[in-house]
Amino acid sequence: MTKAPFLLLLLALLLTLQLATSADAEPASTPPLQTVSLCPGDRAADLLDLTSVDFAPDPLRRGQEATVALRGVLRRPVADGGVVSVSLKMGPIKLLETSLDLCDTLTSIGSSCPLPEGDLSLSHSFTVPNEVPSGKFTAQVHLKDVKGQTISCLLANLKL
């Protein structure tokens, strides 16, 4: 499997990975340009209790290596057959809407599937494509298990 499906998964967990090309380093007091939050609504029944999603570097830079790390706790095991639904917008324009097999995506980054109950830590490094245009991007990544129960739903705001 190619790296493309994982990039789609991390789209909101990093998605299409687009960000700045400013020559100067950002001061430490500058707020992050990439933010990730849970989707609106009651997330109490989600299978993943997300504790962190980190981007490095922030801001992301075209043509440079970046890393996304996700940490959380799974309330129960997640079996093969889950789905990752990804939507990516640049402003009001929808650029991408697709669904991927969860286990195929996890396997493509060297993780195992099914996912066991308990602590979860996923990390992936990639090169941010030079072709990504400047702009503000919003990505939604909705992960569901084989029974259709939400594992997690994330919104990512990225600025290039």
Side-chain angles (χ1 to χ4, degrees):
M1 171 168 246
T2 67
K3 293 181 183 179
F6 181 71
L7 290 178
L8 293 175
L9 169 62
L10 287 184
L11 220 36
L13 307 154
L14 191 198
L15 288 147
T16 302
L17 322 192
Q18 7 323 36
L19 269 126
T21 56
S22 72
D24 300 322
E26 296 291 325
S29 62
T30 300
L33 295 175
Q34 289 72 239
T35 60
V36 177
S37 60
L38 295 174
C39 295
D42 185 4
R43 309 279 17 128
D46 289 359
L47 298 179
L48 177 63
D49 180 14
L50 188 67
T51 55
S52 68
V53 177
D54 298 311
F55 296 90
D58 186 2
L60 299 176
R61 299 189 190 282
R62 289 184 198 105
Q64 294 185 1
E65 184 161 307
T67 300
V68 169
L70 175 139
R71 288 175 203 74
V73 178
L74 276 172
R75 294 188 172 102
R76 68 173 174 77
V78 175
D80 192 2
V83 175
V84 180
S85 299
V86 178
S87 173
L88 177 67
K89 293 181 179 181
M90 182 176 183
I93 301 167
K94 189 174 286 188
L95 301 175
L96 173 73
E97 191 164 294
T98 191
S99 293
L100 306 167
D101 180 88
L102 176 62
C103 284
D104 286 349
T105 303
L106 290 170
T107 303
S108 75
I109 64 162
S111 188
S112 63
C113 199
L115 292 171
E117 178 178 351
D119 291 340
L120 176 68
S121 180
L122 299 173
S123 180
H124 185 66
S125 295
F126 57 91
T127 300
V128 178
N130 284 316
E131 301 77 20
V132 176
S134 296
K136 292 182 181 181
F137 297 83
T138 303
Q140 181 174 343
V141 179
H142 195 160
L143 299 94
K144 291 186 177 185
D145 70 3
V146 68
K147 297 178 183 177
Q149 183 172 2
T150 296
I151 299 168
S152 189
C153 183
L154 304 170
L155 292 175
N157 292 298
L158 308 169
K159 184 179 177 186
L160 178 62

